[in-house]
Amino acid sequence: MYSLDYHGDSISIQIQLSSTPAPKIRSCHHVKMQPLLRYWAAGSIRYDKAYKIQKVLAARHQTQKAQNVILLVQHPPVYTIGIRTNPYPFDEEERLRRLGADFHRTNRGGLITFHGPGQLVAYPIVNLKELNLGVRSYVCLIEKAVMRTCRHFGVDSVRTSMEPNETGVWVNNAKICAIGVHASRFITSHGLALNCNTELSWYRHIVPCGLVGKEVTSLTKLLGQNVTVQQVAPVLVRAFCDELNCTASNFTHEEQQEILKEIL
Amino acid sequence: MVVCSVVVRRLLAAAPAAPRHVFTGLRWVTSTPVKFTDRKYTDKHEWVQVEGKIGTIGITHYAQDALGDVVYAQLPDPGQEFSQMDECGALESVKAASELYCPVSGKIVSKNTEVEDTPGLINKSCYEKGQLLLTAHS
């Protein structure tokens, strides 16, 4: 039995050993090891810095250092858009910057969204060909992992939608998690944003994901008690591992430093 | 576009009987008896159909199914030049932007503006009305 605990910027794993004696091995069968999902809880970092980290991790998939990594962060307030740029001309960008937020134009799918403190942002940088996933089934897998996570905290009425513009995780008419990804040469980037105790008033200044008349919500708002990113992150990692049939493995401090040096 | 004309010469030289595999730099699924308008496929699920100097490019049925409903096509403008397997655009579906790769080297002659207006054509008719681009090899 193991448990994952998130403390600030790191996750520790505690392993509890069984007290019963180990059985005698009568025969040895070849057991296929589950592939690893490396997780990196990088704390609160700026959007552009996180994107540079993603690019380094993605580039590594073309080398001997290829591995599937999920990067977990929070961002200072920022609005981001995807490849459909027409609805967001420069004066729209200026308007949002004047509110005190950053603004980024990205190469992901999806329309405008907000990232900020209290929101768990997860960027899985994985090889879809290796995982035998198409883009549609990958996005579906993200939705399932998020729904598992929400149910763990007692939010049972999570749902998804079949409408192509309503991708994400919903509770009734309110979106709790936005999704927007990019796939290039089978390697994914960008990911999901799950509201834990996000300040939701930031969303009032945009039409989130271009969907008029829909609301946003958070785990804290639904449960009436404070749910933090630190509490949710290890649950999300475990949910991804369950969906991907992978084993979680911490990205070591040395590995993190190696990447951070590359983006200086 | 040198690769394709070399391919065509090899096909002409070959006995056009049973299907055989030929390595050309594009991964072939099969090669059937000589037809100029056979589609060639990449491992990223684009197809190209060459007639003379002009190549028509699209994505396969497998690709459109794996993407889901396409809601946006970001296609390169005429005049832009690409090398084989350069990223040349993107298709968006289910909040996922998937890169498009140019299966052949050349210059874009035209893009299918119908697909920009009605991206669903890519799902409904990926080999016909949902074609994406025309290129000319240099």
Side-chain angles (χ1 to χ4, degrees), chain A residues 38-54:
Chain A
R38 314 298 310 282
Y39 59 88
W40 178 359
S44 179
I45 58 174
R46 275 188 355 258
Y47 187 84
D48 51 317
K49 183 175 174 183
Y51 184 58
K52 285 179 190 165
I53 294 174
Q54 289 184 68

Side-chain angles (χ1 to χ4, degrees), chain A residues 13-242:
Chain A
I13 299 179
Q14 288 150 5
I15 301 173
Q16 191 168 332
L17 297 171
S18 166
S19 56
T20 56
K24 277 188 186 166
I25 297 174
R26 294 189 187 280
S27 60
C28 189
H29 301 281
H30 176 71
V31 176
K32 195 176 178 188
M33 297 292 287
Q34 275 194 330
L36 294 179
L37 179 66
R38 314 298 310 282
Y39 59 88
W40 178 359
S44 179
I45 58 174
R46 275 188 355 258
Y47 187 84
D48 51 317
K49 183 175 174 183
Y51 184 58
K52 285 179 190 165
I53 294 174
Q54 289 184 68
K55 290 220 304 197
V56 172
L57 290 170
R60 284 182 166 209
H61 274 277
Q62 313 298 339
T63 70
Q64 298 295 332
K65 293 181 179 176
Q67 44 191 348
N68 292 329
V69 183
I70 184 166
L71 179 66
L72 303 144
V73 297
Q74 291 184 74
H75 291 310
V78 59
Y79 293 100
T80 69
I81 65 168
I83 60 172
R84 283 181 276 171
T85 56
N86 282 343
Y88 313 109
F90 183 68
D91 50 358
E92 181 66 3
E93 177 179 340
E94 277 300 288
R95 178 180 75 83
L96 293 169
R97 283 187 185 278
R98 275 197 292 273
L99 297 166
D102 201 355
F103 188 98
H104 282 277
R105 295 170 185 272
T106 78
N107 62 357
R108 61 164 172 79
L111 292 170
I112 194 164
T113 196
F114 169 79
H115 303 302
Q119 185 191 76
L120 174 58
V121 179
Y123 298 125
I125 316 296
V126 299
N127 185 328
L128 294 181
K129 194 169 183 182
E130 193 184 277
L131 296 170
N132 206 25
L133 290 169
V135 151
R136 177 165 57 159
S137 42
Y138 169 61
V139 169
C140 197
L141 186 144
I142 294 179
E143 289 174 331
K144 283 187 192 155
V146 171
M147 287 199 288
R148 266 187 200 252
T149 305
C150 293
R151 286 189 191 113
H152 174 91
F153 288 95
V155 178
D156 290 324
S157 54
V158 278
R159 64 170 184 89
T160 56
S161 170
M162 293 304 286
E163 298 295 318
N165 276 320
E166 290 188 7
T167 300
V169 179
W170 297 80
V171 179
N172 301 319
N173 205 35
K175 185 182 265 195
I176 194 170
C177 178
I179 295 172
V181 301
H182 175 86
S184 174
R185 306 187 197 276
F186 302 111
I187 309 301
T188 63
S189 56
H190 302 284
L192 65 106
L194 174 57
N195 290 324
C196 302
N197 56 5
T198 321
E199 176 49 62
L200 297 178
S201 62
W202 284 100
Y203 286 95
R204 278 197 224 121
H205 306 285
I206 57 172
V207 179
C209 310
L211 294 165
V212 179
K214 302 283 188 186
E215 292 168 25
V216 285
T217 188
S218 67
L219 288 167
T220 293
K221 184 172 178 183
L222 291 167
L223 294 167
Q225 64 185 63
N226 196 31
V227 181
T228 65
V229 165
Q230 288 79 358
Q231 290 169 292
V232 178
V235 179
L236 183 72
V237 170
R238 197 157 47 221
F240 262 98
C241 288
D242 288 343

Side-chain angles (χ1 to χ4, degrees), chain B residues 122-133:
Chain B
I122 299 172
N123 298 110
K124 291 197 194 80
S125 175
C126 55
Y127 298 112
E128 310 288 333
K129 288 191 169 210
Q131 296 172 357
L132 301 176
L133 300 165

Side-chain angles (χ1 to χ4, degrees), chain A residues 83-84 107-111 129 134-137 139 164-167 175 179-186 209, chain B residues 43-45 62 64-69 71-72 74 85-87 90-99 101:
Chain A
I83 60 172
R84 283 181 276 171
N107 62 357
R108 61 164 172 79
L111 292 170
K129 194 169 183 182
V135 151
R136 177 165 57 159
S137 42
V139 169
N165 276 320
E166 290 188 7
T167 300
K175 185 182 265 195
I179 295 172
V181 301
H182 175 86
S184 174
R185 306 187 197 276
F186 302 111
C209 310
Chain B
D43 67 350
K44 306 271 186 319
H45 305 294
Y62 178 91
Q64 68 79 26
D65 187 55
L67 282 175
D69 292 336
V71 299
Y72 180 70
Q74 187 181 61
M85 296 319 283
D86 273 355
E87 292 180 352
L91 297 179
E92 186 180 337
S93 62
V94 289
K95 305 288 174 83
S98 302
E99 291 287 345
Y101 305 93

